[in-house]
Amino acid sequence: HNKMANQVNGNAVQLKEEEEPMDTSSVTHTEHYKTLIEAGLPQKVAERLDEIFQTGLVAYVDLDERAIDALREFNEEGALSVLQQFKESDLSHVQNKSAFLCGVMKTYRQREKQGSKVQESTKGPDEAKIKALLERTGYTLDVTTGQRKYGGPPPDTVYSGVQPGIGTEVFVGKIPRDLYEDELVPLFEKAGPIWDLRLMMDPLSGQNRGYAFITFCSKDAAQEAVKLCDNYEIRPGKHLGVCISVANNRLFVGSIPKNKTKENILEEFSKVTEGLVDVILYHQPDDKKKNRGFCFLEYEDHKSAAQARRRLMSGKVKVWGNVVTVEWADPVEEPDPEVMAKVKVLFVRNLATTVTEEILEKSFSEFGKLERVKKLKDYAFVHFEDRGAAVKAMNEMNGKEIEGEEIEIVLAKPPDKKRKERQAARQASRSTAYEDYYYYPPPRMPPPIRG
């Protein structure tokens, strides 16, 4: 029956002209042709797709309904040229062919919008070199239209533990646009075993976007990678930029009603977003019952935070009847342990309004000689002459009451260059504030656009 159907549709005839003489086994493959027609694809498009099935590039079962539906929305000419592009793409490392085809369609639409002629995909990587790399290392490579992912996880022989956490990922920038894993991996694996390397791709140009993320199996390896590879000349005159990447999972939220408690906020935002684990809230110095009108939301991972940010920014979600303002919070940069080991300044917070610099001076000078004390709002910096005295004071005074409020003490973190730059930009429009030391988290708005 199938054979009959094919002949009625003129398909078998069509195939005979374009292909080598068919043996019957491959003609039966075209049972899917009928399904494609029934799904509403134009005849020529169904034929072209059916030919692709027969080349073995992709099987009918690899394509989900989403891909077929999306294809149906193109006019015949568009659909044919999308399929042509798909057919010419290098699919050797593409695990999800259906998603890849959707990516090709999306890119095609973007190019149409820009009015640029759909260009032939630019020369990709040297496949022989990529193949040699994968054979040598035993890693996998998964290619989508947006990124090329090497490893994640790596082979068991390299590392069989759980996925590495915070501080193991580096950001690599200033990558030449026509450079791929075969040049990046040999350089970075010198720092230590790689968990995964994600090279971001620009589907419009077919080249990389100039940056990648590399997760190492340990923090030490990530730090070593920064030392070895930052400013490394990967090609004549082309220097890479490498720094530890902070996966941001904290959002800053403004326009919160001032009478809401931490519990209220946690409950309310848990209704509209997923993966919320904590709320960080500051009280007004003179009224502990009121918050300062903003808070930080801490999510379990970057993905949850990014989804929450999108939802809250969409304008569709209201919290207590209002649309809230949302930004990425400044990431908490882990200060350099060597620098922290020298700090002699304490950051003291949660001070009662009645606490004066004199009271602080009296309490803390018991532990050693002070250089100065500076109080701002409900926090203060206490500068000791001697590191040992500062540590002793912190250990003994943390959690003690001064003027009826329990104080919290941590070592002040010295200013960090990037943070200084961000602050300078923010403060250009404001009077200068106390900038010698910062602490975490900052009770000020993050810079306008980050993420």
Side-chain angles (χ1 to χ4, degrees):
H1 166 74
N2 269 334
K3 239 167 140 178
M4 285 283 294
N6 290 329
Q7 261 151 4
V8 173
N9 290 327
N11 194 46
V13 184
Q14 166 92 21
L15 288 171
K16 283 209 171 81
E17 290 168 8
E18 293 193 10
E19 311 264 336
E20 292 299 297
M22 285 278 155
D23 64 55
T24 44
S25 64
S26 58
V27 174
T28 53
H29 279 163
T30 56
E31 73 211 44
H32 301 304
Y33 172 74
K34 191 163 163 241
T35 325
L36 294 175
I37 291 286
E38 281 165 7
L41 287 180
Q43 186 181 340
K44 274 190 178 162
V45 177
E47 281 166 8
R48 174 66 56 87
L49 190 51
D50 205 44
E51 284 166 31
I52 293 178
F53 293 152
Q54 289 176 31
T55 60
L57 262 177
V58 60
Y60 174 73
V61 289
D62 289 341
L63 294 191
D64 55 24
E65 283 170 22
R66 204 179 57 146
I68 305 285
D69 288 348
L71 196 59
R72 204 172 50 220
E73 288 173 18
F74 280 84
N75 61 22
E76 191 171 290
E77 182 200 0
L80 289 174
S81 89
V82 161
L83 288 176
Q84 188 56 30
Q85 219 177 323
F86 177 67
K87 193 176 163 187
E88 287 167 10
S89 300
D90 177 10
L91 300 176
S92 45
H93 302 293
V94 175
Q95 265 76 33
N96 186 340
K97 307 240 171 56
S98 197
F100 192 86
L101 177 59
C102 289
V104 171
M105 291 189 262
K106 189 175 161 191
T107 310
Y108 184 86
R109 288 202 189 282
Q110 284 171 321
R111 285 193 180 131
E112 264 189 334
K113 245 191 223 139
Q114 293 177 4
S116 54
K117 193 78 190 93
V118 178
Q119 63 195 88
E120 293 312 301
S121 56
T122 25
K123 189 172 85 56
D126 181 333
E127 269 310 319
K129 286 184 179 164
I130 297 288
K131 191 166 170 247
L133 171 73
L134 298 179
E135 278 171 8
R136 171 176 73 77
T137 61
Y139 277 65
T140 52
L141 179 64
D142 183 9
V143 175
T144 61
T145 45
Q147 70 169 6
R148 297 171 60 91
K149 182 176 172 207
Y150 168 86
D156 281 348
T157 48
V158 175
Y159 178 85
S160 55
V162 294
Q163 182 159 359
I166 292 171
T168 55
E169 185 181 76
V170 300
F171 171 83
V172 185
K174 301 197 269 192
I175 299 173
R177 298 300 166 107
D178 55 349
L179 187 141
Y180 296 90
E181 298 80 12
D182 54 310
E183 289 179 72
L184 286 171
V185 171
L187 170 63
F188 281 93
E189 65 187 357
K190 289 181 188 149
I194 292 174
W195 166 272
D196 74 0
L197 182 158
R198 301 186 310 286
L199 180 62
M200 301 300 150
M201 300 301 291
D202 177 6
L204 288 174
S205 70
Q207 295 187 306
N208 77 54
R209 285 180 183 268
Y211 66 95
F213 295 95
I214 305 176
T215 305
F216 287 90
C217 297
S218 70
K219 279 187 178 182
D220 293 350
Q223 283 164 353
E224 186 61 22
V226 175
K227 281 190 194 133
L228 277 179
C229 310
D230 185 31
N231 212 19
Y232 177 86
E233 190 168 2
I234 193 142
R235 286 189 184 163
K238 301 278 184 209
H239 297 264
L240 296 176
V242 183
C243 59
I244 296 283
S245 142
V246 185
N248 202 344
N249 48 3
R250 182 171 291 174
L251 298 178
F252 169 91
V253 181
S255 33
I256 299 273
K258 297 222 165 64
N259 58 351
K260 299 297 176 194
T261 63
K262 178 174 169 167
E263 288 67 34
N264 299 149
I265 295 172
L266 197 60
E267 186 188 350
E268 192 70 17
F269 280 95
S270 296
K271 286 182 201 159
V272 291
T273 64
E274 281 167 36
L276 181 60
V277 287
D278 194 16
V279 170
I280 299 155
L281 194 61
Y282 292 93
H283 300 295
Q284 299 199 1
D286 45 357
D287 183 353
K288 293 285 182 245
K289 289 198 178 66
K290 288 193 170 156
N291 68 58
R292 292 192 187 165
F294 66 83
C295 68
F296 293 93
L297 303 180
E298 176 91 39
Y299 286 85
E300 58 191 14
D301 53 27
H302 177 66
K303 194 171 171 190
S304 311
Q307 284 170 339
R309 175 175 170 267
R310 268 206 299 276
R311 286 208 63 182
L312 295 169
M313 286 174 77
S314 68
K316 296 189 191 105
V317 178
K318 291 201 168 159
V319 189
W320 297 296
N322 288 324
V323 173
V324 289
T325 54
V326 186
E327 305 279 1
W328 284 109
D330 276 356
V332 193
E333 275 121 16
E334 281 307 313
D336 189 319
E338 292 164 24
V339 175
M340 283 309 282
K342 300 190 183 99
V343 170
K344 299 182 290 192
V345 183
L346 298 182
F347 169 65
V348 186
R349 72 170 146 216
N350 201 31
L351 298 176
T353 327
T354 50
V355 174
T356 60
E357 288 181 356
E358 289 70 43
I359 293 176
L360 289 171
E361 215 164 296
K362 192 159 174 281
S363 312
F364 282 92
S365 57
E366 288 174 30
F367 299 94
K369 200 151 181 262
L370 301 181
E371 283 180 359
R372 61 180 173 140
V373 174
K374 178 80 177 159
K375 183 188 179 206
L376 304 102
K377 293 188 185 154
D378 57 350
Y379 56 90
F381 293 94
V382 179
H383 297 245
F384 280 85
E385 280 188 6
D386 173 62
R387 157 90 181 179
V391 173
K392 188 164 188 281
M394 171 171 74
N395 294 338
E396 296 204 14
M397 294 289 291
N398 194 16
K400 289 264 170 27
E401 277 197 13
I402 299 187
E403 298 281 303
E405 285 287 348
E406 271 189 26
I407 59 171
E408 292 173 30
I409 309 178
V410 290
L411 284 169
K413 294 181 182 178
D416 141 277
K417 220 168 57 192
K418 284 191 210 128
R419 197 170 195 103
K420 275 288 240 222
E421 287 161 13
R422 287 201 295 265
Q423 278 187 339
R426 253 179 262 170
Q427 239 123 27
S429 58
R430 263 184 238 166
S431 62
T432 54
Y434 186 78
E435 271 190 23
D436 283 352
Y437 278 82
Y438 76 76
Y439 55 93
Y440 160 72
R444 58 169 79 82
M445 286 190 58
I449 303 290
R450 291 201 68 239

